[in-house]
Amino acid sequence: MDAPIVELTLNDWGQASSRPEWTAAVEAGKVLYFPQLRFQLEGHELALLREDMLAAGTRNVSLGADGVLKGAGGSADEQRALAAMIGRFRGQALQLVDGLLPAYRGLLRVAPTSFRPRQVETRAQSIRADDQRLHVDAFPSRPNYGERILRVFANINPQGVPRVWRVGEDFETVARQFLPRAKPYRLWQARALNALHVTKSLRSEYDHLMLQLHDLMKRDERYQQSGGQVSMPFAAGSAWVCFSDQATHAVMSGQFMMEQTLHLPPGREANPQASPLAILSRLVGRPLVGVGAGTPR
């Protein structure tokens, strides 16, 4: 198993440079790790690092592009301060990606930015929702037709506690293992799910297979225990970047993290043939989205 973590030296969000091998690494599903890249909190913001800044019944606090804060607890003043903190992180994350991955400049769609104050180890979730189990990101209600999920993370834990991940094998190795177990795609089922508003749009065969991989990986106890993987403690005061639809990962422990998601249109990678869409299409022997996609039963 090749090393899935690429460690880079950088301590300024606005000074990232680009190298073809770094772009190739992240597009191969590796995680780019910046152990010295701290998201610097302002003095008053330390008081916001507590679990009750998360509203009851929500998983994360998020700040939309419209400036609307969702999922936050605390007072009105605390929520304003939290929105400013999250917005500042978004600006720095976008600076990092712009310098690190200039091939994506002008192509990325910015998703809401999140603050995650909950302690990972205390979350009670179903197997399908449990991010402590190795998986690639895929979402039941939001088909994306091969659009990529690029994420920037920062561990802002004030007690110096690392955020521990497990990082697994490359995407093609995982796909070859689990695709034979995947249920076949049925267009009538996709149409029914869309008509019932279970999905926000018609689920493509690509989205179906990605969701199958996500679920099969999480449910396979032997794979979770003995599949190729490394444990990676992302230190407090560090940041990391990956395509979370391609990097096999599990979040094992930690508390207080910032996260920025960006979406890249399919086929706009530096090397589109390394993408999950291209890999799955090659393995099944047909297009999985759009014109020319195979006719499902």
Side-chain angles (χ1 to χ4, degrees), residues 4-213:
I5 310 293
V6 177
E7 186 171 316
L8 303 176
T9 301
L10 181 69
N11 59 15
D12 187 326
W13 294 83
Q15 296 299 316
S17 59
S18 171
R19 290 188 184 176
E21 61 266 30
W22 298 343
T23 302
V26 78
E27 290 189 357
K30 297 181 184 295
V31 180
L32 305 183
Y33 177 43
F34 303 88
Q36 301 169 27
L37 190 59
R38 176 183 296 274
F39 176 63
Q40 193 66 49
L41 296 175
E42 298 179 359
H44 68 280
E45 291 171 344
L46 285 171
L48 304 175
L49 301 189
R50 59 182 205 267
E51 196 155 332
D52 68 356
M53 285 305 299
L54 184 67
T58 59
R59 291 187 62 180
N60 303 305
V61 180
S62 68
L63 182 70
D66 55 4
V68 174
L69 189 70
K70 297 180 180 179
S75 68
D77 285 345
E78 287 175 324
Q79 289 185 11
R80 281 190 287 271
L82 185 59
M85 182 181 85
I86 298 172
R88 194 171 76 256
F89 172 74
R90 172 162 56 207
Q92 294 186 2
L94 295 180
Q95 278 187 306
L96 173 66
V97 170
D98 189 66
L100 185 68
L101 302 166
Y104 305 160
R105 196 170 290 162
L107 300 172
L108 295 166
R109 177 171 60 86
V110 181
T113 315
S114 69
F115 167 57
R116 305 185 181 188
R118 182 171 292 171
Q119 187 172 355
V120 171
E121 303 95 303
T122 63
R123 294 188 303 199
Q125 298 175 305
S126 67
I127 287 179
R128 194 184 201 196
D130 186 359
D131 287 343
Q132 291 182 287
R133 304 178 77 81
L134 283 167
H135 65 285
V136 290
D137 282 353
F139 305 105
S141 65
R142 289 179 281 147
N144 68 13
Y145 302 91
E147 185 179 54
R148 306 303 309 280
I149 306 170
L150 181 67
R151 286 189 158 149
V152 180
F153 304 91
N155 182 356
I156 60 171
N157 190 285
Q159 281 82 44
V161 177
R163 194 168 187 92
V164 179
W165 278 24
R166 289 185 291 147
V167 183
E169 297 168 301
D170 67 275
F171 182 85
E172 182 161 347
T173 297
V174 171
R176 287 182 178 277
Q177 180 175 346
F178 288 100
L179 270 182
R181 303 188 222 167
K183 296 178 182 177
Y185 175 65
R186 310 290 194 204
L187 182 58
W188 68 266
Q189 289 177 332
R191 287 172 172 163
L193 291 171
N194 192 33
L196 293 169
H197 304 291
V198 174
T199 58
K200 297 181 185 298
S201 58
L202 187 69
R203 185 180 288 170
S204 68
E205 187 171 8
Y206 168 79
D207 292 290
H208 167 80
L209 291 177
M210 286 295 288
L211 195 58
Q212 286 285 297
L213 292 181

